[in-house]
Amino acid sequence: MSIPPTPAGPALEFDPPLSPVMRIDCPVRLDYTIAAGREQSRFLRAMSRGHLLGRRCPECRKVYLPPRGTCPRCGVMTAEDVEVQPRGTITTWCVTNVPYEGQVLELPYVTASVLLDGADLPFYFLIQGLPADQIRMGMRVEAEWADTLGPTLDSIRCFRPSGEPDADPASYAEHV
Amino acid sequence: MVDVAIVAFAQRPSVRNAVGDEVELVQPVIQQALEDAGLRASELGFVCSGSCDYLIGRPFSFVTALDAVGAWPPLCESHVEMDGAFAFYEAWVRLQHGDVDTALVYAFGRSSLGSLPIILSQQLDPYTVAPLFPDAISLAALQARALLDGGRATERDFAEVACRSRRAAEGNPNAQLRQSADVEALLGAACLRPPLRVHDCPPISDGACAMVLATGERARAIASARGRAPAWVAGVDHRIDPQDLGSRDLTRAPSAKLAAERAGAHRAPLDLAELHAPFSPQELILREAMGLGPQVAINPSGGALAANPMMVAGLTRVGEAALRIHDGRAGRALAHATSGPCLQQNLVCVLEAR
């Protein structure tokens, strides 16, 4: 099929000439129904009952929390439930001072990587109950559970200093 | 050229709404393929995966999935945001360097979590086409309509492809749709997106598969220890047609034709072809483009019409062809994978026993 030639029309004038288009709006919305995996579902269900449920690698014996389905070092399925204590040691931390869109917490606030007692993988939590400039590595903290528990990380409102002496750096050196 | 062969292939049954996240989906097939090849992850020369974060709406899901391999000590690893068949191609290229002799290729896809036909619209031109959200079924219908209007096929031809594919899948425990009404009954159904009926479209599938490649002597040693023939890669090629749907004839697949020629498909007779044609009219286009006559068995596994885990179904075609070389059911086979809308990208691989 041949296409008839387009008749020549008046040339379009651009002012300024050929200015680049810097923006077009193309809103995109994609909806998903999230299905947590088997082990993450067990972890979340345990949280709704006030428990922290990790899984142990059958080869290297490390305990992962949250459980990931496999041991990322050994590549085998984790096989054994291990209850992890809702207290642990801060291995590193971050103070947020800069306001941002969607911010809920009052500034400054602290988030920290907490190595829970019995786990081999640090996990991130909000730390409350102390001035931001007193946060430090090795500090011992414990969980404050929310009033309403559910299959969500919101079941733990935050961690607070437990009052125990700081942990020996050797006890968490491998996880920093 | 370095001789490369597929020495092991594992897959899990495709289902809608699989229980398990991507790690839980893919770890068992990786473990099975490695055990089948007698290898440990730490021995692998190269690892390459295929997946797409848009499917589950979560960034870097391929990094999470690496937990399934066991990445300590660190692996030499790569990933394609495409079907695993293209990861297979990368692994084959990597093995051409000759410094490593084994590679693991795997793919996973959870197509059930989002609205798949709409998600796929986001691979189109972001300025002029994607904002219209043309869903994948509508685009395939456009292609089917062009085929009908050109007098090159009939709706009965489409139904015959669907019926044959799903009946072939009766022998494939990993397929999702494993039966079909006869052609007359299929043609009596209403259209989903005219001229496509439900039977012309693939199921929405979650799945995963894994494959082990090895070179030369290593491949012979692995395969002979397991009493199977290595599936030697005689040729592989990947070609692409323009992305703009208006600038190509949707009833032809020149990139598939070229890829088949460059992969050496016609140098000797083929016993079978595993074609990645998610919509029934696409099989007709591919068969014509690649010159596959009636003597070539098409999709003995049932193909993508019987199970279509996104990012997995192409690599599965390569794996299904390899399995038939391994046990002697075929001596020479063609495997094909596609990507993009309306057969835009086409990869062809020719496997043979020697």
Side-chain angles (χ1 to χ4, degrees):
Chain A
M1 187 176 74
S2 67
I3 299 166
T6 307
L12 290 172
E13 299 276 338
F14 289 99
D15 182 28
L18 295 177
S19 60
V21 176
M22 300 300 288
R23 177 188 168 120
I24 60 171
D25 288 330
C26 303
V28 175
R29 181 192 166 100
L30 300 173
D31 292 310
Y32 296 88
T33 303
I34 298 301
R38 273 190 299 272
E39 292 208 354
Q40 291 201 52
S41 294
R42 290 164 59 79
F43 166 74
L44 292 167
R45 295 286 177 208
M47 274 206 107
S48 66
R49 295 182 190 177
H51 293 274
L52 291 167
L53 195 60
R55 296 277 278 180
R56 191 192 301 277
C57 171
E59 287 191 7
C60 71
R61 309 298 293 165
K62 284 186 184 298
V63 173
Y64 294 99
L65 184 120
R68 300 166 153 213
T70 63
C71 172
R73 292 174 65 101
C74 305
V76 298
M77 294 295 238
T78 47
E80 182 191 338
D81 284 340
V82 179
E83 181 152 5
V84 171
Q85 296 310 306
R87 61 173 55 82
T89 303
I90 290 179
T91 59
T92 187
W93 45 268
C94 168
V95 178
T96 301
N97 289 299
V98 182
Y100 57 92
E101 190 178 324
Q103 175 196 329
V104 176
L105 298 162
E106 193 179 322
L107 296 178
Y109 66 84
V110 182
T111 41
S113 178
V114 179
L115 183 65
L116 295 169
D117 295 352
D120 288 292
L121 196 70
F123 200 2
Y124 292 92
F125 292 104
L126 175 69
I127 309 294
Q128 302 265 274
L130 81 170
D133 61 2
Q134 288 181 26
I135 189 78
R136 60 190 182 274
M137 290 169 78
M139 176 178 257
R140 296 283 297 165
V141 290
E142 62 189 359
E144 180 178 300
W145 292 87
D147 296 332
T148 309
L149 303 182
T152 161
L153 289 179
D154 291 341
S155 291
I156 288 181
R157 187 181 291 132
C158 63
F159 272 65
R160 292 179 181 275
S162 67
E164 297 163 86
D166 282 7
D168 177 355
S171 69
Y172 58 89
E174 191 192 332
H175 301 282
V176 176
Chain B
M1 299 292 275
V2 173
D3 280 338
V4 175
I6 298 163
V7 294
F9 178 68
Q11 58 183 312
R12 56 173 292 139
S14 288
V15 293
R16 184 81 185 256
N17 294 322
V19 177
D21 62 15
E22 50 274 23
V23 171
E24 292 165 334
L25 213 59
V26 79
Q27 194 277 345
V29 295
I30 290 175
Q31 186 173 337
Q32 192 186 334
L34 289 177
E35 280 175 7
D36 194 27
L39 290 172
R40 292 185 59 88
S42 56
E43 296 176 77
L44 293 165
F46 186 58
V47 176
C48 197
S49 61
S51 68
C52 178
D53 285 353
Y54 273 77
L55 293 179
I56 66 168
R58 182 166 131 185
F60 293 100
S61 57
F62 70 94
V63 178
T64 311
L66 258 184
D67 284 357
V69 186
W72 189 263
L75 301 165
C76 180
E77 185 267 344
S78 183
H79 172 260
V80 298
E81 197 77 2
M82 295 184 84
D83 190 287
F86 300 88
F88 157 78
Y89 192 7
E90 181 176 335
W92 178 83
V93 170
R94 179 65 188 84
L95 290 170
Q96 292 304 310
H97 288 261
D99 59 326
V100 293
D101 60 3
T102 55
L104 169 72
V105 181
Y106 65 92
F108 59 94
R110 297 170 83 196
S111 317
S112 300
L113 299 185
S115 174
L116 181 63
I118 287 294
I119 288 171
L120 289 173
S121 71
Q122 296 307 297
Q123 70 185 323
L124 303 166
D125 178 280
Y127 305 109
T128 61
V129 187
L132 303 173
F133 291 91
D135 70 82
I137 304 171
S138 297
L139 291 181
L142 204 65
Q143 188 172 33
R145 173 63 67 201
L147 212 50
L148 296 178
D149 288 351
R152 309 248 315 284
T154 63
E155 293 178 32
R156 177 173 296 275
D157 295 333
F158 301 166
E160 282 172 356
V161 167
C163 180
R164 193 213 66 234
S165 297
R166 297 201 173 109
R167 286 183 175 171
E170 284 172 20
N172 178 2
N174 298 303
Q176 190 173 350
L177 301 180
R178 281 179 280 173
Q179 56 183 16
S180 172
D182 62 28
V183 170
E184 291 306 326
L186 292 179
L187 287 171
C191 284
L192 175 70
R193 298 275 195 291
L196 296 181
R197 295 176 172 83
V198 170
H199 64 249
D200 295 312
C201 305
I204 290 179
S205 317
D206 296 345
C209 68
M211 174 184 285
V212 176
L213 307 179
T215 62
E217 281 307 315
R218 192 77 191 269
R220 273 183 277 274
I222 292 172
S224 71
R226 283 146 191 86
R228 66 177 66 130
W232 296 104
V233 180
V236 56
D237 201 70
H238 169 206
R239 302 280 156 164
I240 310 174
D241 283 312
Q243 186 193 33
D244 178 19
L245 296 166
S247 61
R248 59 188 168 108
D249 178 351
L250 294 180
T251 66
R252 315 265 176 194
S255 61
K257 178 175 190 289
L258 194 56
E261 286 168 5
R262 298 297 177 103
H266 309 301
R267 276 183 214 138
L270 290 162
D271 297 316
L272 65 90
E274 279 284 335
L275 304 180
H276 184 196
F279 295 91
S280 61
Q282 295 176 341
E283 183 191 299
L284 303 174
I285 295 170
L286 289 170
R287 270 160 49 186
E288 185 182 301
M290 298 189 206
L292 302 174
Q295 76 285 359
V296 182
I298 304 291
N299 286 348
S301 71
L305 282 165
N308 189 38
M310 296 301 297
M311 310 300 137
V312 180
L315 183 60
T316 302
R317 304 282 71 73
V318 182
E320 288 284 356
L323 290 176
R324 285 163 174 79
I325 304 262
H326 286 169
D327 63 12
R329 278 177 288 171
R332 195 161 186 274
L334 180 150
H336 160 267
T338 192
S339 181
C342 302
L343 301 173
Q344 185 205 358
Q345 305 202 29
N346 293 286
L347 179 149
V348 174
C349 163
V350 176
L351 300 175
E352 60 187 26
R354 283 178 190 163

